[in-house]
Amino acid sequence: NMSDALANAVCQRCQARFGPTERIVNSSGELYHEHCFVCAQCFRPFPEGLFYEFEGRKYCEHDFQMLFAPCCGSCGEFIIGRVIKAMNTNWHPGCFRCELCDVELADLGFVKNAGRHLCRPCHSREKAKGLGKYICQRCHLVIDEQPLMFRNDAYHPDHFSCTHCGKELTAEARELKGELYCLPCHDKMGVPICGACRRPIEGRVVNALGKQWHVEHFVCAKCEKPFLGHRHYEKKGLAYCETHYNQLFGDVCYSCSHVIEGDVVSALNKAWCVNCFSCSTCNSKLTLKNKFVEFDMKPVCKKCYEKFPLELKKRLKKLADLASRKAQPKPVDVNSA
């Protein structure tokens, strides 16, 4: 009977018998004196009866962690329960995450990339970046051929088929109103293609330089700001805003050294702003209809010229006559040949 069995039982730890009125601790069929049911390391009773068993010995939570529990490579805390072993380190399942997107990797798997643990999509993106290629947004693999751009994302072309004819698409596919079409089907619709992005233009169209453009894509070739209906200037197949056209191709005023915006006064083999072309002596405004004389490579009005000393005027006249003779073509003696 039960009393006989307890009378013959011994403590699992000290192997002594139990007293008839003594309290006995039963742990999974093993019997202990109350004072013998203690941690194998610190010999103290288990707080709230909680213990951890390892290789036949029982430990309190603190000593079990100190002796056997691994530390997490991320948070540094002891790991009780499921342990993820990766990258020569132990991790809590919730701490083992992709180093780029922070997604949990415990149940997804991971890929080593330059000493980092990454999820497969991030690894593919990093690999594509290193190769200078795109990553497919559907299968997350590198796109070796020309990608199909759909809603600003890259895809393998064979992941889509033409909305109209059902044929497998190529990188030349066109998007229209959220649907993809092969090039022949799209061209039959008569939709204009932007000269910059090569995509269909569904709204307002800008016709310039022999092409059609999205309003926001028709920009200055220098500053790349959209014209948005403002005047543009064409040069060698490119469009420029007025400021940069003048900077690149306009005349520079001899007087103020600024690019001339507007009308140009050409005089004395030089270019002038309308407001800068004036007498260098009295500063009165001149036009090409006024009579003026060149003095020190600058214009002088008739009134100021009349005030010059007689000797200076004679010298200027002599220089002008000499320059005129040099400019005249010399006669050729046809009999001398």
Side-chain angles (χ1 to χ4, degrees), residues 73-87:
S74 176
C75 68
E77 299 292 332
F78 291 114
I79 305 173
I80 303 299
R82 185 183 178 190
V83 180
I84 304 297
K85 294 182 176 291
M87 308 290 288

Side-chain angles (χ1 to χ4, degrees), residues 19 197 217 227 245 293 314:
C197 68
H217 291 167
F227 294 109
Y245 180 84
V293 178
K314 288 181 179 180

Side-chain angles (χ1 to χ4, degrees), residues 293-298 300 304-306 308-323:
V293 178
E294 180 179 1
F295 177 67
D296 193 21
M297 296 188 294
K298 297 176 184 177
V300 175
C304 291
Y305 175 74
E306 293 296 335
F308 282 1
L310 181 60
E311 187 62 31
L312 178 57
K313 288 192 285 186
K314 288 181 179 180
R315 191 180 304 169
L316 292 175
K317 187 176 184 306
K318 185 177 180 180
L319 291 173
D321 292 341
L322 181 61

Side-chain angles (χ1 to χ4, degrees), residues 201-241:
I201 306 173
E202 298 182 28
R204 183 181 168 193
V205 180
V206 176
N207 292 283
L209 304 175
K211 298 179 181 178
Q212 296 173 307
W213 315 77
H214 286 108
V215 175
E216 64 274 16
H217 291 167
F218 185 52
V219 300
C220 172
K222 178 66 175 177
C223 64
E224 298 185 351
K225 291 183 179 179
F227 294 109
L228 301 177
H230 293 92
R231 185 178 179 183
H232 71 276
Y233 298 82
E234 298 181 11
K235 184 78 171 182
K236 295 182 180 179
L238 298 175
Y240 299 87
C241 62

Side-chain angles (χ1 to χ4, degrees), residues 23 45 82 132 145 167 169 173 178 185 201 221 274 287 290 312 316:
R23 296 181 64 181
R82 185 183 178 190
E145 67 273 20
K167 289 183 179 179
L169 295 177
C185 288
I201 306 173
V274 173
T287 68
N290 298 124
L312 178 57
L316 292 175

Side-chain angles (χ1 to χ4, degrees), residues 104-131:
E104 287 190 20
L105 300 173
D107 299 316
L108 294 178
F110 72 100
V111 180
K112 290 183 180 180
N113 182 297
R116 301 171 297 178
H117 44 276
L118 306 180
C119 64
R120 296 188 185 280
C122 286
H123 167 71
S124 296
R125 279 192 289 271
E126 289 296 290
K127 182 179 177 182
K129 188 188 300 181
L131 296 173

